[in-house]
Each structure stands twice: as structure tokens, then as C-alpha cells.
mmCIF file of all heavy atoms in Angstrom:
data_model
loop_
_atom_site.group_PDB
_atom_site.id
_atom_site.type_symbol
_atom_site.label_atom_id
_atom_site.label_comp_id
_atom_site.label_asym_id
_atom_site.label_seq_id
_atom_site.Cartn_x
_atom_site.Cartn_y
_atom_site.Cartn_z
ATOM 1 N N ASP A 1 46.653 172.664 155.339
ATOM 2 C CA ASP A 1 46.416 174.149 155.254
ATOM 3 C C ASP A 1 45.893 174.726 156.577
ATOM 4 O O ASP A 1 44.805 175.311 156.504
ATOM 5 C CB ASP A 1 45.492 174.517 154.084
ATOM 6 C CG ASP A 1 45.549 175.887 153.628
ATOM 7 O OD1 ASP A 1 46.397 176.612 154.186
ATOM 8 O OD2 ASP A 1 44.734 176.277 152.698
ATOM 9 N N PRO A 2 46.490 174.560 157.657
ATOM 10 C CA PRO A 2 45.917 174.938 158.933
ATOM 11 C C PRO A 2 45.600 176.448 159.035
ATOM 12 O O PRO A 2 44.650 176.821 159.744
ATOM 13 C CB PRO A 2 46.937 174.473 159.961
ATOM 14 C CG PRO A 2 48.304 174.513 159.178
ATOM 15 C CD PRO A 2 47.836 173.960 157.772
ATOM 16 N N ASP A 3 46.479 177.276 158.377
ATOM 17 C CA ASP A 3 46.102 178.766 158.373
ATOM 18 C C ASP A 3 44.757 179.080 157.877
ATOM 19 O O ASP A 3 44.015 179.872 158.400
ATOM 20 C CB ASP A 3 47.247 179.562 157.555
ATOM 21 C CG ASP A 3 48.538 179.445 158.263
ATOM 22 O OD1 ASP A 3 48.769 180.212 159.222
ATOM 23 O OD2 ASP A 3 49.395 178.627 157.875
ATOM 24 N N GLN A 4 44.389 178.461 156.798
ATOM 25 C CA GLN A 4 43.130 178.617 156.180
ATOM 26 C C GLN A 4 41.989 177.903 156.974
ATOM 27 O O GLN A 4 40.914 178.647 157.284
ATOM 28 C CB GLN A 4 43.084 178.055 154.751
ATOM 29 C CG GLN A 4 41.729 178.167 154.091
ATOM 30 C CD GLN A 4 41.195 179.570 153.990
ATOM 31 O OE1 GLN A 4 41.945 180.470 153.622
ATOM 32 N NE2 GLN A 4 39.840 179.764 154.246
ATOM 33 N N ARG A 5 42.248 176.685 157.482
ATOM 34 C CA ARG A 5 41.233 176.057 158.159
ATOM 35 C C ARG A 5 40.882 176.731 159.520
ATOM 36 O O ARG A 5 39.786 176.577 159.988
ATOM 37 C CB ARG A 5 41.631 174.581 158.407
ATOM 38 C CG ARG A 5 41.681 173.758 157.177
ATOM 39 C CD ARG A 5 40.249 173.724 156.519
ATOM 40 N NE ARG A 5 40.255 172.832 155.420
ATOM 41 C CZ ARG A 5 39.098 172.659 154.543
ATOM 42 N NH1 ARG A 5 38.019 173.404 154.908
ATOM 43 N NH2 ARG A 5 39.152 171.934 153.585
ATOM 44 N N ALA A 6 41.844 177.378 160.083
ATOM 45 C CA ALA A 6 41.591 177.991 161.377
ATOM 46 C C ALA A 6 40.517 179.051 161.295
ATOM 47 O O ALA A 6 39.750 179.392 162.231
ATOM 48 C CB ALA A 6 42.868 178.651 161.905
ATOM 49 N N SER A 7 40.261 179.586 160.113
ATOM 50 C CA SER A 7 39.273 180.637 159.931
ATOM 51 C C SER A 7 37.923 180.034 159.393
ATOM 52 O O SER A 7 37.025 180.762 159.259
ATOM 53 C CB SER A 7 39.767 181.619 158.771
ATOM 54 O OG SER A 7 40.962 182.286 159.209
ATOM 55 N N ASP A 8 37.924 178.676 159.301
ATOM 56 C CA ASP A 8 36.646 178.045 158.851
ATOM 57 C C ASP A 8 35.703 177.841 160.175
ATOM 58 O O ASP A 8 36.199 177.791 161.340
ATOM 59 C CB ASP A 8 36.932 176.662 158.232
ATOM 60 C CG ASP A 8 37.422 176.805 156.887
ATOM 61 O OD1 ASP A 8 37.400 177.867 156.337
ATOM 62 O OD2 ASP A 8 37.968 175.788 156.354
ATOM 63 N N TYR A 9 34.384 177.700 159.936
ATOM 64 C CA TYR A 9 33.507 177.396 160.883
ATOM 65 C C TYR A 9 33.247 175.841 160.922
ATOM 66 O O TYR A 9 33.480 175.203 159.922
ATOM 67 C CB TYR A 9 32.110 178.100 160.634
ATOM 68 C CG TYR A 9 32.295 179.575 160.836
ATOM 69 C CD1 TYR A 9 32.699 180.456 159.757
ATOM 70 C CD2 TYR A 9 31.987 180.193 162.082
ATOM 71 C CE1 TYR A 9 32.791 181.766 159.983
ATOM 72 C CE2 TYR A 9 32.093 181.555 162.198
ATOM 73 C CZ TYR A 9 32.582 182.368 161.184
ATOM 74 O OH TYR A 9 32.648 183.691 161.333
ATOM 75 N N PRO A 10 32.754 175.281 162.043
ATOM 76 C CA PRO A 10 32.651 173.781 162.056
ATOM 77 C C PRO A 10 31.844 173.176 160.959
ATOM 78 O O PRO A 10 32.230 172.156 160.512
ATOM 79 C CB PRO A 10 31.919 173.626 163.498
ATOM 80 C CG PRO A 10 32.345 174.849 164.324
ATOM 81 C CD PRO A 10 32.393 175.888 163.336
ATOM 82 N N HIS A 11 30.791 173.925 160.487
ATOM 83 C CA HIS A 11 30.054 173.238 159.465
ATOM 84 C C HIS A 11 30.702 173.196 158.085
ATOM 85 O O HIS A 11 30.289 172.405 157.200
ATOM 86 C CB HIS A 11 28.673 174.084 159.240
ATOM 87 C CG HIS A 11 28.894 175.376 158.602
ATOM 88 N ND1 HIS A 11 29.165 176.489 159.314
ATOM 89 C CD2 HIS A 11 28.819 175.707 157.255
ATOM 90 C CE1 HIS A 11 29.196 177.439 158.448
ATOM 91 N NE2 HIS A 11 29.084 177.040 157.173
ATOM 92 N N GLN A 12 31.845 173.869 157.990
ATOM 93 C CA GLN A 12 32.635 173.869 156.787
ATOM 94 C C GLN A 12 33.603 172.659 156.709
ATOM 95 O O GLN A 12 34.201 172.438 155.703
ATOM 96 C CB GLN A 12 33.384 175.121 156.611
ATOM 97 C CG GLN A 12 32.498 176.368 156.361
ATOM 98 C CD GLN A 12 33.249 177.632 156.272
ATOM 99 O OE1 GLN A 12 33.710 178.156 157.289
ATOM 100 N NE2 GLN A 12 33.521 178.185 155.013
ATOM 101 N N LEU A 13 33.729 171.938 157.849
ATOM 102 C CA LEU A 13 34.674 170.816 157.869
ATOM 103 C C LEU A 13 33.936 169.479 157.868
ATOM 104 O O LEU A 13 32.773 169.376 158.308
ATOM 105 C CB LEU A 13 35.438 170.919 159.215
ATOM 106 C CG LEU A 13 36.196 172.259 159.478
ATOM 107 C CD1 LEU A 13 36.922 172.262 160.799
ATOM 108 C CD2 LEU A 13 37.130 172.551 158.331
ATOM 109 N N SER A 14 34.626 168.467 157.502
ATOM 110 C CA SER A 14 34.071 167.115 157.498
ATOM 111 C C SER A 14 34.084 166.637 158.882
ATOM 112 O O SER A 14 34.650 167.165 159.782
ATOM 113 C CB SER A 14 34.993 166.228 156.591
ATOM 114 O OG SER A 14 36.233 166.091 157.204
ATOM 115 N N GLY A 15 33.355 165.414 159.095
ATOM 116 C CA GLY A 15 33.302 164.874 160.430
ATOM 117 C C GLY A 15 34.698 164.539 160.963
ATOM 118 O O GLY A 15 34.933 164.738 162.238
ATOM 119 N N GLY A 16 35.507 163.979 160.165
ATOM 120 C CA GLY A 16 36.798 163.557 160.613
ATOM 121 C C GLY A 16 37.727 164.825 161.003
ATOM 122 O O GLY A 16 38.494 164.808 162.015
ATOM 123 N N MET A 17 37.540 165.817 160.184
ATOM 124 C CA MET A 17 38.270 167.082 160.484
ATOM 125 C C MET A 17 37.783 167.770 161.824
ATOM 126 O O MET A 17 38.594 168.289 162.605
ATOM 127 C CB MET A 17 38.246 168.077 159.374
ATOM 128 C CG MET A 17 38.970 167.519 158.080
ATOM 129 S SD MET A 17 38.697 168.643 156.686
ATOM 130 C CE MET A 17 39.584 170.078 157.162
ATOM 131 N N ARG A 18 36.528 167.712 162.017
ATOM 132 C CA ARG A 18 35.924 168.239 163.170
ATOM 133 C C ARG A 18 36.444 167.579 164.463
ATOM 134 O O ARG A 18 36.749 168.178 165.429
ATOM 135 C CB ARG A 18 34.406 168.312 163.225
ATOM 136 C CG ARG A 18 33.775 169.311 162.297
ATOM 137 C CD ARG A 18 32.257 169.521 162.578
ATOM 138 N NE ARG A 18 31.588 168.358 162.106
ATOM 139 C CZ ARG A 18 30.895 168.078 160.994
ATOM 140 N NH1 ARG A 18 30.910 169.060 160.044
ATOM 141 N NH2 ARG A 18 30.258 167.034 160.800
ATOM 142 N N GLN A 19 36.517 166.240 164.317
ATOM 143 C CA GLN A 19 37.098 165.455 165.495
ATOM 144 C C GLN A 19 38.523 165.779 165.812
ATOM 145 O O GLN A 19 38.927 165.870 166.852
ATOM 146 C CB GLN A 19 36.816 163.918 165.181
ATOM 147 C CG GLN A 19 37.109 163.076 166.367
ATOM 148 C CD GLN A 19 36.120 163.341 167.541
ATOM 149 O OE1 GLN A 19 36.222 164.419 168.236
ATOM 150 N NE2 GLN A 19 35.134 162.525 167.652
ATOM 151 N N ARG A 20 39.257 166.084 164.704
ATOM 152 C CA ARG A 20 40.653 166.518 164.875
ATOM 153 C C ARG A 20 40.719 167.878 165.521
ATOM 154 O O ARG A 20 41.663 168.122 166.308
ATOM 155 C CB ARG A 20 41.409 166.597 163.475
ATOM 156 C CG ARG A 20 41.613 165.065 162.894
ATOM 157 C CD ARG A 20 42.213 165.187 161.506
ATOM 158 N NE ARG A 20 42.317 163.948 160.853
ATOM 159 C CZ ARG A 20 43.479 163.152 160.908
ATOM 160 N NH1 ARG A 20 44.538 163.657 161.506
ATOM 161 N NH2 ARG A 20 43.447 162.004 160.360
ATOM 162 N N VAL A 21 39.854 168.652 165.177
ATOM 163 C CA VAL A 21 39.728 170.096 165.930
ATOM 164 C C VAL A 21 39.426 169.832 167.386
ATOM 165 O O VAL A 21 40.088 170.496 168.200
ATOM 166 C CB VAL A 21 38.709 170.917 165.209
ATOM 167 C CG1 VAL A 21 38.466 172.113 166.108
ATOM 168 C CG2 VAL A 21 39.031 171.330 163.859
ATOM 169 N N VAL A 22 38.516 168.938 167.763
ATOM 170 C CA VAL A 22 38.281 168.713 169.128
ATOM 171 C C VAL A 22 39.435 168.121 169.861
ATOM 172 O O VAL A 22 39.759 168.519 171.000
ATOM 173 C CB VAL A 22 37.075 167.705 169.259
ATOM 174 C CG1 VAL A 22 36.862 167.282 170.643
ATOM 175 C CG2 VAL A 22 35.790 168.399 168.751
ATOM 176 N N ILE A 23 40.183 167.268 169.191
ATOM 177 C CA ILE A 23 41.428 166.653 169.741
ATOM 178 C C ILE A 23 42.496 167.790 169.924
ATOM 179 O O ILE A 23 43.211 167.894 170.908
ATOM 180 C CB ILE A 23 42.032 165.590 168.872
ATOM 181 C CG1 ILE A 23 41.036 164.387 168.921
ATOM 182 C CG2 ILE A 23 43.430 165.165 169.302
ATOM 183 C CD1 ILE A 23 41.441 163.331 167.939
ATOM 184 N N ALA A 24 42.585 168.746 168.939
ATOM 185 C CA ALA A 24 43.500 169.888 169.091
ATOM 186 C C ALA A 24 43.173 170.683 170.226
ATOM 187 O O ALA A 24 44.063 171.125 171.037
ATOM 188 C CB ALA A 24 43.432 170.657 167.767
ATOM 189 N N MET A 25 41.887 170.947 170.467
ATOM 190 C CA MET A 25 41.401 171.785 171.683
ATOM 191 C C MET A 25 41.829 171.004 173.005
ATOM 192 O O MET A 25 42.240 171.604 173.969
ATOM 193 C CB MET A 25 39.863 172.007 171.630
ATOM 194 C CG MET A 25 39.457 172.930 170.534
ATOM 195 S SD MET A 25 37.570 173.012 170.503
ATOM 196 C CE MET A 25 37.247 173.734 172.127
ATOM 197 N N ALA A 26 41.602 169.704 173.004
ATOM 198 C CA ALA A 26 41.944 168.877 174.154
ATOM 199 C C ALA A 26 43.323 168.858 174.545
ATOM 200 O O ALA A 26 43.747 168.893 175.716
ATOM 201 C CB ALA A 26 41.392 167.462 173.981
ATOM 202 N N LEU A 27 44.208 168.919 173.566
ATOM 203 C CA LEU A 27 45.617 168.839 173.809
ATOM 204 C C LEU A 27 46.374 170.137 173.886
ATOM 205 O O LEU A 27 47.611 170.247 174.011
ATOM 206 C CB LEU A 27 46.343 167.962 172.641
ATOM 207 C CG LEU A 27 45.755 166.484 172.614
ATOM 208 C CD1 LEU A 27 46.633 165.747 171.593
ATOM 209 C CD2 LEU A 27 45.860 165.816 173.960
ATOM 210 N N MET A 28 45.713 171.258 173.727
ATOM 211 C CA MET A 28 46.321 172.583 173.626
ATOM 212 C C MET A 28 47.215 172.818 174.834
ATOM 213 O O MET A 28 48.187 173.406 174.726
ATOM 214 C CB MET A 28 45.145 173.674 173.596
ATOM 215 C CG MET A 28 45.620 175.039 173.433
ATOM 216 S SD MET A 28 46.395 175.254 171.765
ATOM 217 C CE MET A 28 46.347 177.094 171.647
ATOM 218 N N MET A 29 46.744 172.441 176.049
ATOM 219 C CA MET A 29 47.463 172.701 177.262
ATOM 220 C C MET A 29 48.346 171.511 177.634
ATOM 221 O O MET A 29 48.943 171.547 178.824
ATOM 222 C CB MET A 29 46.510 173.094 178.380
ATOM 223 C CG MET A 29 45.685 174.243 178.153
ATOM 224 S SD MET A 29 46.621 175.712 177.671
ATOM 225 C CE MET A 29 47.612 175.936 179.179
ATOM 226 N N ARG A 30 48.551 170.530 176.745
ATOM 227 C CA ARG A 30 49.323 169.401 177.102
ATOM 228 C C ARG A 30 48.875 168.684 178.377
ATOM 229 O O ARG A 30 49.676 168.627 179.326
ATOM 230 C CB ARG A 30 50.840 169.697 177.138
ATOM 231 C CG ARG A 30 51.407 170.393 176.067
ATOM 232 C CD ARG A 30 51.421 169.517 174.702
ATOM 233 N NE ARG A 30 52.245 170.168 173.717
ATOM 234 C CZ ARG A 30 51.720 170.952 172.766
ATOM 235 N NH1 ARG A 30 50.450 171.211 172.727
ATOM 236 N NH2 ARG A 30 52.557 171.453 171.786
#
């Protein structure tokens, strides 16, 4: 559910999901 999760704040996510967010940020520009 990425559309919903994009509107969440970091504290609303689990540790594994937060790490996936950080990976998404890192790979945004390929």
C-alpha cells in the first residue's frame, strides 16, 4: 500500500519498513 504509506511519518512504520524507506531514498536517483 505505498500510496498510503507515503503519507505516514517514520514513527508509524516498523523498523524493517523504515529501513526500506531509507533504501528507497538511496536508490531514487539510480
Side-chain angles (χ1 to χ4, degrees):
D1 196 8
D3 291 283
Q4 174 62 40
R5 289 302 185 183
S7 299
D8 286 346
Y9 292 88
H11 73 272
Q12 296 176 280
L13 306 180
S14 68
M17 292 176 70
R18 286 195 293 264
Q19 193 62 285
R20 289 173 185 268
V21 169
V22 172
I23 293 172
M25 291 176 63
L27 299 186
M28 184 68 159
M29 300 305 299
R30 307 294 192 266

